[in-house]
């Protein structure tokens, strides 16, 4: 049964761009402007680059969430494929047997197939099963050995991940729209690279400064940062003071905000502004547009302000919140560096976070005044972010005009 020989592609960190980067690299694709494998930074830039999104979710039976976007989420994979002219062979079937055979065939043909199984059914993610919800994110399957009962996956970690063939089969078959689906990628068209970069740059400006393709304008870009700032300052409907005054709701949104901004969700502590700066440096050479190098410096500066915002969300000056942050960071670092080798400790980190949520229901260790100060500090750090982001995106707009 097939396993790709000498597969060593474990560099990508964010699902969409990581899966494409690792699949293309294994299949021998080189970027024309460097002669090296396409970088995840370049794919991020071509996909539409970075933006900001602010969303709140309050579902019965679940903790409230504040979800923060840092990159384009409007079809980024398809955008990359279309802009680079990457042909894709989509093999999908409702039959589990045919799905397994498609996977075996793809591996035997030398492809590094991209799949989107339900991550909650892959044990290395250490997520509880939820009969009403699931999450599908792209990854690369580089081996499937049913005789051994194993499958091998490249998914955000720097090391290979092994799951049972049975678990992978179940995960691939759970969600209807992605059931047994595989994407086999062809080679990009070199002549399309320059236009792909330009379109990605233009997208970034639009996503930060103009009305989004879908959804409310107040939820995207610079306007979303202003809206979040208002929700931190006011006491009206939707505000943090009203919706998350203390206790478990407050802890839950601090955790979700921190998680969605940082490495726990495949990003960097600079909210990927450092990765985007890497893209701009590459783009400057590919387009012969040195002004982009100066813009890259502005985005690196903006990245430092995002680090300050992350620090404000779970400040180390509050021992209770520091402990939660340490557990988020520890489980994330263990997974990235060691995969499932420390799964017991990763699960223990999740358990400690859940225990903190439970404890916060009756004993949140901050007074009302201290919580108000916490909101003010988050808002102050957010104001720094917004100022730096506005400077950077206006510099980008001028550079590509």
């Amino acid at each position: 049964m097939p396993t790709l020989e000498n597969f060593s592609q474990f560099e990508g960190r964010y699902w969409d761009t990581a899966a494409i980067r690792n699949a293309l690299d294994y299949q021998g694709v080189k970027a024309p402007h460097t002669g090296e494998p396409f970088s995840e930074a370049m794919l991020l830039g071509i996909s539409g680059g970075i933006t900001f999104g602010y969303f709140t979710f309050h579902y019965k039976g679940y903790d409230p969430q504040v979800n923060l976007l840092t990159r384009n989420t409007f079809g980024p994979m398809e955008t990359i494929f279309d802009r680079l002219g990457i042909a894709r062979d989509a093999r999908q079937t409702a039959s589990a047997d045919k799905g397994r055979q498609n996977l075996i065939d793809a591996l035997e043909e030398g492809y590094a197939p991209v799949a989107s199984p339900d991550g909650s059914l892959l044990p290395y993610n250490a997520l509880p099963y939820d009969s009403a919800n699931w999450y599908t994110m792209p990854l690369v399957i580089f081996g499937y050995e049913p005789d051994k009962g194993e499958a091998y996956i490249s998914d955000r970690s720097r090391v290979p991940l092994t799951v049972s063939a049975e678990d992978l089969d179940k995960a691939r078959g759970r969600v209807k729209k992605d059931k047994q689906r595989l994407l086999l990628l062809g080679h990009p068209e070199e002549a399309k690279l320059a236009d792909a970069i330009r379109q990605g740059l233009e997208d970034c400006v639009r996503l930060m400064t103009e009305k989004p393709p879908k959804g409310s304008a107040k939820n995207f870009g610079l306007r979303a940062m202003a809206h979040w700032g208002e929700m931190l300052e006011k006491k009206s409907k939707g505000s943090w003071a009203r919706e998350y005054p203390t206790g478990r709701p407050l802890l839950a949104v601090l955790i979700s905000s921190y998680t969605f901004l940082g490495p726990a969700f495949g990003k960097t502590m600079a909210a990927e502004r450092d990765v985007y700066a890497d893209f701009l440096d590459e783009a400057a050479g590919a387009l012969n547009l040195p002004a982009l190098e100066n813009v890259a410096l502005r985005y690196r500066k903006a990245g430092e302000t995002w680090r300050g915002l992350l620090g404000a969300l779970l400040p180390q000056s509050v021992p209770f919140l520091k402990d939660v942050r340490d557990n988020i960071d520890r489980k994330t670092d263990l997974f990235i560096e060691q995969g499932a080798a420390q799964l017991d400790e990763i699960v223990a980190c999740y358990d400690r976070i859940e225990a903190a949520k439970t404890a916060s229901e009756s004993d949140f260790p901050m007074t009302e005044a201290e919580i108000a100060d916490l909101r003010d500090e988050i808002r102050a750090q957010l104001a720094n972010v917004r100022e730096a982001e506005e400077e950077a995106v206006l510099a980008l707009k001028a550079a590509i005009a």
Side-chain angles (χ1 to χ4, degrees), residues 47 254 318 347 399:
S47 76
L254 292 172
V318 181
V347 171

Side-chain angles (χ1 to χ4, degrees), residues 2-12 18-28 107 110-114 139-143 152-161:
T3 295
L4 297 176
E5 292 185 6
N6 304 315
F7 187 94
S8 60
Q9 281 65 33
F10 307 104
E11 293 304 312
I20 297 173
R21 182 239 172 265
N22 290 339
L24 292 181
D25 183 11
Y26 179 79
Q27 293 169 196
L107 292 165
Y111 286 101
V114 176
L139 49 76
V140 173
I141 303 169
F142 69 92
Y152 312 120
I153 292 172
S154 171
D155 181 13
R156 296 164 292 134
S157 178
R158 289 194 171 97
V159 300
L161 299 160

Side-chain angles (χ1 to χ4, degrees), residues 139-373:
L139 49 76
V140 173
I141 303 169
F142 69 92
Y144 186 75
E145 304 280 355
D147 291 347
K148 295 180 182 179
E150 294 181 341
Y152 312 120
I153 292 172
S154 171
D155 181 13
R156 296 164 292 134
S157 178
R158 289 194 171 97
V159 300
L161 299 160
T162 301
V163 300
S164 73
E166 181 181 4
D167 282 339
L168 180 60
D169 291 345
K170 290 179 180 177
R172 290 185 63 214
R174 185 180 183 199
V175 182
K176 184 177 181 180
K177 74 179 181 68
D178 293 304
K179 183 173 288 189
Q180 307 299 339
R181 187 169 188 260
L182 295 175
L183 272 183
L184 312 184
L185 305 184
H187 282 225
E189 298 178 32
E190 291 188 7
K192 288 182 174 286
L193 178 63
D195 280 345
I197 293 172
R198 291 188 189 98
Q199 291 174 61
L201 292 165
E202 291 165 358
D203 274 354
C204 184
V205 173
R206 282 194 295 267
L207 289 166
M208 284 299 293
T209 63
E210 300 178 13
K211 185 177 180 180
K214 292 187 293 186
S216 171
K218 73 176 183 179
N219 291 119
F220 288 94
L222 295 172
R223 185 169 174 180
M225 293 179 185
H227 173 62
W228 185 15
E230 291 174 358
M231 294 301 96
L232 288 164
E233 181 180 18
K234 295 181 177 180
K235 297 184 179 180
S236 53
K237 183 179 180 181
S239 69
W240 280 42
R242 177 177 291 192
E243 306 293 341
Y244 327 115
T246 187
R248 186 176 182 121
L250 175 57
L251 181 58
V253 298
L254 292 172
I255 289 172
S256 61
S257 298
Y258 184 86
T259 297
F260 277 94
L261 276 182
F265 207 71
K267 301 169 183 177
T268 68
M269 291 297 286
E272 297 187 293
R273 272 50 186 173
D274 48 350
V275 181
Y276 194 68
D278 290 342
F279 159 69
L280 291 172
D281 284 335
E282 278 195 60
L287 300 180
N288 192 25
L289 192 59
L292 292 178
E293 295 177 353
N294 291 327
V295 181
L297 294 175
R298 292 179 181 270
Y299 274 104
R300 294 190 194 283
K301 176 183 175 183
E304 292 305 311
T305 66
W306 284 100
R307 292 177 188 275
L309 178 56
L310 274 160
L313 287 165
L314 290 172
Q316 297 194 18
S317 59
V318 181
F320 178 71
L321 298 181
K322 177 184 181 299
D323 186 61
V324 171
R325 175 178 174 165
D326 288 347
N327 278 288
I328 295 172
D329 291 347
R330 178 162 173 73
K331 70 176 178 59
T332 302
D333 291 343
L334 286 172
F335 174 75
I336 291 173
E337 298 299 332
Q338 301 184 47
Q342 295 289 331
L343 187 58
D344 287 348
E345 176 58 18
I346 291 172
V347 171
C349 289
Y350 274 112
D351 289 344
R352 289 191 285 268
I353 294 166
E354 288 302 311
K357 289 182 182 179
T358 300
S360 70
E361 294 171 5
S362 57
D363 183 22
F364 195 84
M366 297 178 72
T367 66
E368 184 176 336
E370 289 170 335
I371 293 170
D373 288 342

Side-chain angles (χ1 to χ4, degrees), residues 52 73 226:
F52 177 71
T73 58

Side-chain angles (χ1 to χ4, degrees), residues 24-40:
L24 292 181
D25 183 11
Y26 179 79
Q27 293 169 196
V29 171
K30 305 298 183 185
H33 64 299
T34 63
E36 300 292 331
F38 272 90
S39 69
E40 191 170 14

